[in-house]
Amino acid sequence: LAARSALVWMHGLGDTEAGWKAQIQEAINIDGATGPCHMEFPRAPTARVSCNMGMRLTSWFDMSELPLGAHSGGPGFGCSLEEAKGNAARIHSILDGLVGAGVPADKIVVGGFSQGGAMALLASMTYSRRLAGCVVFSGILLGSDQLDALTHPSNRGLPILWCHGTEDDVLEPSLQDAGVKALQGSGFAVEALKYPAEHGAHPRGFAKMQDFLHRVLK
């Protein structure tokens, strides 16, 4: 690859990469600051999802209920950490491929939206090489009671940006509050942003993400 840095971004439950690929490529411009940035948008496998009556959807891990808030039975929140770990290994393979193609691991950011945001956190903290950072839009932290055990020593203290809408009624903003507190308690350098939005992207989130990428990839 000619790229000097990379972003790997994961979509949410029941979605595909197409919408996020278009939005991020339009909203984020960091090539000038970092050199060419390669962007990768993997698609989740199709699986039965309990909260959708067992329907088969693109899904990074099973969820037994939605909506969720910090009150919804953490630290698991009815989500399958084991399935998430299995798909995190798939993301690790993508990261290994980027490193093998010449992109330094510490110039790679992993990010995602909603279920993909949960995956970004898990895949980043469990990866064996130091990454540049992690970006979460409207996500949820899985395994908050196991952070020290889950986190690879290489990624302790990793910079994390977590953006969340104050009107989110799918993954409630209380999940951001609880997740950020747990991550900071484990030594991660977390920056949190709230904005008036429902469960989705927001221009302020993209602007903050661009600033974050400039900082961690320079």
Side-chain angles (χ1 to χ4, degrees), residues 41-194:
F41 300 88
R43 182 178 297 188
T46 301
R48 295 189 185 280
V49 180
S50 298
C51 66
N52 285 70
M53 300 179 294
M55 288 174 57
R56 294 182 65 81
L57 301 169
T58 50
S59 173
W60 297 107
F61 52 85
D62 193 30
M63 305 179 78
S64 62
E65 63 173 305
L66 278 175
L68 291 173
H71 54 81
S72 303
F77 301 105
C79 300
S80 172
L81 181 59
E82 288 311 306
E83 279 188 28
K85 284 179 179 176
N87 279 311
R90 189 176 147 221
I91 302 307
H92 292 168
S93 294
I94 292 172
L95 298 175
D96 290 343
L98 290 169
V99 172
V103 181
D106 63 2
K107 298 295 182 187
I108 301 174
V109 171
V110 180
F113 168 72
S114 191
Q115 207 190 46
M119 285 300 302
L121 286 167
L122 183 65
S124 296
M125 69 176 63
T126 55
Y127 191 54
S128 60
R129 296 180 175 97
R130 179 68 174 193
L131 296 166
C134 176
V135 178
V136 182
F137 279 5
S138 312
I140 181 172
L141 173 65
L142 303 182
S144 61
D145 59 337
Q146 306 173 43
L147 288 183
D148 287 344
L150 285 170
T151 305
H152 192 280
S154 298
N155 282 301
R156 295 198 188 283
L158 186 74
I160 297 170
L161 172 65
W162 189 328
C163 302
H164 215 109
T166 56
E167 312 303 315
D168 194 330
D169 59 359
V170 179
L171 295 179
E172 297 169 10
S174 61
L175 290 168
Q176 182 196 31
D177 299 334
V180 167
K181 183 177 179 181
L183 289 164
Q184 288 175 334
S186 282
F188 289 94
V190 190
E191 202 174 338
L193 174 70
K194 281 189 170 70

Side-chain angles (χ1 to χ4, degrees), residues 28-39:
I28 303 297
N29 179 17
I30 55 172
D31 284 354
T34 66
C37 180
H38 174 77
M39 295 187 182

